[in-house]
């Protein structure tokens, strides 16, 4: 793949910020959108907008067809065998809450355990805290002792027992960039009859994934981190698990029949899609899936690893810069968090912004991990398919200017 050529597809990358050429390194928060996705949104509202699934007129049929074709495209991207196993949600957060409330809550009770880690995004901690409070189940967690190494499946084995009903893990940390062995963890969970719930917010946009081959039970992800619009995402679930789960919300497409005495539920995946869905968002995400598939997730992953391999030693040359996460690029994706001694990450971020460089600064919705690292926040640069080595050079120069500015 040629990232320089791809950049022409992203109109926003031509912008100037503070008079400087934009260097966008905040992709872990949200990616930019290629022209085909933007055009698909325009086309939907200009030419085919209507509600889906109920209308008998031409526009409704066009919208329904595009909406369902998008589901097939995204399902194919993650290796799902059946598009009905892909539920449209607003994003990874809603997907994880859906699993916690619709599948786990009716099945958990006192004595049961849910296993997470201390490197999770809040979205994969708080829903499990809530459901444990509601059911009397116990929340356990794996604590990463050394941020420079990758958590190994064998370390989880000691925490998984017959009491474990849910193992909920990120496939890739949004702070450390570290990746986990999903297939091996699925095997450990299934050995005791637990289900594996994967937070794919950081992995689905840029890593090859096959939910069937990896034996994933549930996978939640956000469209806006993978070139799609905001407000749309996906939840994959094995058919049998989705079939036995209770509806998460009521109304709209999720019903089959309604009587005052009671109601029955629609077939999958509509059982979990209450109300008028984000039709435009789904169609846009389908086009994003086409774009990613045409390039190849393996190509994108290798590009990000090359950028990470280029950036890590260069960042390490900066005096007093603390880098978090494994130093070996084989165990991490294109997310690098760091702190410059004596300088608050927000101040660093502001200086970089004055150079046209967009990075993240804060706790990244990972406060337990921040506590384990002994910091309140970090700066974070995150790469995607359109980033280049030249932009990493700009980041290095920008950090140097911040050091000069603040002495």
């Amino acid at each position: 793949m040629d990232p320089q050529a791809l950049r022409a597809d992203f109109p926003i990358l031509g912008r100037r910020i503070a008079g400087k050429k934009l260097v966008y390194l905040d992709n872990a928060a949200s990616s930019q959108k290629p022209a085909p996705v933007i055009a698909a949104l325009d086309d939907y509202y200009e030419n085919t907008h209507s509600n889906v699934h109920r209308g008998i007129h031409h526009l409704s049929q066009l919208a329904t067809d595009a909406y369902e074709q998008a589901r097939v495209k995204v399902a194919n991207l993650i290796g799902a065998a059946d598009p009905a196993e892909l539920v449209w949600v607003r994003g990874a957060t809603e997907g994880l809450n859906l699993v916690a409330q619709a599948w786990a809550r009716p099945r958990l009770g006192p004595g049961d355990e849910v296993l997470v880690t201390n490197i999770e995004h809040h979205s994969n901690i708080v829903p499990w805290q809530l459901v444990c409070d509601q059911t009397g189940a116990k929340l356990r967690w794996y604590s990463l002792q050394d941020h420079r190494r990758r958590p190994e499946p064998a370390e989880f084995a000691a925490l998984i027992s017959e009491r474990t009903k849910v193992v909920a893990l990120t496939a890739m940390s949004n702070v450390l960039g570290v990746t986990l062995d999903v297939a091996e963890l699925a095997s450990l969970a299934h050995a005791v009859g637990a289900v594996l719930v994967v937070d794919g917010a950081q992995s689905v946009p840029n890593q090859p994934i096959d939910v069937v081959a990896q034996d994933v039970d549930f996978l939640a992800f956000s469209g806006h981190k993978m070139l799609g619009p905001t407000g749309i995402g996906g939840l994959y679930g094995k058919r049998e698990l989705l079939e036995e789960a209770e509806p998460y919300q009521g109304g709209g497409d999720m019903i089959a029949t309604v009587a005052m005495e009671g109601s029955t539920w629609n077939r999958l995946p509509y059982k979990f899609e209450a109300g008028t869905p984000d039709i435009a968002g789904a169609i846009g995400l389908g086009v994003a899936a086409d774009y990613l598939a045409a390039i190849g997730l393996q190509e994108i992953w290798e590009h990000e690893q090359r950028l990470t391999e280029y950036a890590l030693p260069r960042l390490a040359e900066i005096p007093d810069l603390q880098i978090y996460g494994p130093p070996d690029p084989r165990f991490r994706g294109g997310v690098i968090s760091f702190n410059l001694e004596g300088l608050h990450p927000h101040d660093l971020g502001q200086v970089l912004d004055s150079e046209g460089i967009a990075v993240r600064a804060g706790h990244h919705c990972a406060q337990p991990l921040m506590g384990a690292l002994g910091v309140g926040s970090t700066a974070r640069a995150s790469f995607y398919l359109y980033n280049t080595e030249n932009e990493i050079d700009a980041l290095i120069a920008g950090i140097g200017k911040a050091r000069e500015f603040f002495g």
Side-chain angles (χ1 to χ4, degrees):
M1 64 177 267
D2 182 352
Q4 287 289 359
L6 291 177
R7 292 176 67 85
D9 291 338
F10 294 81
I12 201 170
L13 297 181
R15 282 206 60 181
R16 300 184 75 83
I17 303 294
K20 309 287 178 59
K21 184 178 178 182
L22 170 64
V23 175
Y24 188 78
L25 301 177
D26 193 19
N27 297 286
S30 193
S31 73
Q32 298 299 346
K33 318 304 172 191
V37 170
I38 299 170
L41 296 174
D42 286 344
D43 180 68
Y44 167 72
Y45 282 118
E46 290 176 359
N47 297 305
T48 61
H49 169 65
S50 181
N51 214 325
V52 292
H53 294 152
R54 295 187 191 83
I56 58 172
H57 55 80
H58 183 64
L59 286 182
S60 181
Q61 190 59 57
L62 289 176
T64 300
D65 288 347
Y67 180 76
E68 293 303 333
Q69 286 168 11
R71 194 191 307 272
V72 173
K73 295 172 182 178
V74 176
N76 287 339
L77 189 72
I78 62 171
D82 181 356
E85 295 177 312
L86 178 69
V87 178
W88 294 127
V89 289
R90 287 182 297 168
T93 298
E94 185 175 64
L96 293 165
N97 276 278
L98 193 159
V99 177
Q101 292 298 318
W103 187 87
R105 185 174 180 179
R107 288 162 182 79
L108 293 179
D112 294 332
E113 294 181 352
V114 176
L115 177 64
V116 297
T117 79
N118 70 337
I119 70 170
E120 304 297 322
H121 189 281
H122 294 166
S123 295
N124 202 29
I125 297 175
V126 178
W128 302 111
Q129 290 175 333
L130 289 170
V131 82
C132 284
D133 287 345
Q134 292 161 344
T135 62
K138 180 180 180 181
L139 185 70
R140 301 191 69 192
W141 58 88
Y142 165 89
S143 292
L144 184 66
Q145 300 300 315
D146 182 353
H147 66 84
R148 293 165 296 187
R149 52 182 289 276
R150 183 192 201 193
E152 295 299 334
E155 297 174 277
F156 290 88
L159 299 171
I160 296 175
S161 72
E162 297 295 329
R163 294 186 297 274
T164 309
K165 302 304 179 189
V166 177
V167 178
L169 306 168
T170 182
M172 175 175 152
S173 164
N174 71 321
V175 175
L176 304 175
V178 66
T179 57
L180 273 63
D181 188 333
V182 170
E184 187 67 23
L185 291 165
S187 178
L188 287 173
H190 294 158
V192 298
V195 299
L196 179 69
V197 183
V198 176
D199 176 0
Q202 299 299 331
S203 61
V204 171
N206 48 33
Q207 294 179 37
I209 186 168
D210 186 323
V211 290
V212 174
Q214 293 176 304
D215 206 10
V216 171
D217 296 303
F218 292 104
L219 170 73
F221 53 96
S222 299
H224 70 96
K225 297 179 191 286
M226 51 187 290
L227 309 182
T230 56
I232 186 72
L235 172 69
Y236 161 81
K238 288 179 178 174
R239 173 176 278 277
E240 61 271 24
L241 297 176
L242 291 175
E243 292 281 12
E244 64 189 34
E246 297 298 322
Y248 178 51
Q249 297 174 319
D253 257 357
M254 56 77 64
I255 62 97
T257 64
V258 174
M260 294 312 296
E261 293 77 15
S263 302
T264 59
W265 317 133
N266 203 345
R267 69 184 190 278
L268 293 177
Y270 313 114
K271 184 170 80 169
F272 301 104
E273 296 181 355
T276 294
D278 184 355
I279 304 165
I283 293 170
L285 183 53
V287 175
D290 282 341
Y291 191 93
L292 292 170
I295 297 169
L297 287 173
Q298 182 64 38
E299 291 290 317
I300 295 169
W301 179 238
E302 290 173 4
H303 171 66
E304 289 190 27
Q305 288 200 299
R306 283 193 295 270
L307 290 179
T308 305
E309 192 170 7
Y310 179 78
L312 284 173
R314 300 215 58 204
L315 287 165
E317 293 174 358
I318 300 174
D320 301 326
L321 190 80
Q322 172 68 57
I323 302 171
Y324 303 100
D328 189 335
R330 292 176 301 169
F331 300 142
R332 62 185 299 162
V335 173
I336 302 178
S337 293
F338 49 88
N339 272 326
L340 193 57
E341 185 177 344
L343 190 61
H344 194 282
H346 286 177
D347 293 330
L348 176 57
Q350 285 190 329
V351 172
L352 292 173
D353 183 56
S354 71
E355 296 296 316
I357 303 167
V359 299
R360 200 70 158 187
H363 57 59
H364 314 296
C365 297
Q367 288 180 310
L369 177 57
M370 292 293 117
L373 297 175
V375 298
S377 59
T378 73
R380 183 187 70 190
S382 50
F383 316 134
Y384 207 15
L385 70 173
Y386 38 65
N387 290 126
T388 66
E389 282 87 352
N390 289 340
E391 292 182 310
I392 293 171
D393 292 340
L395 172 66
I396 303 293
I399 295 172
K401 288 187 177 180
R403 170 59 79 201
E404 291 175 13
F405 183 80
F406 286 99

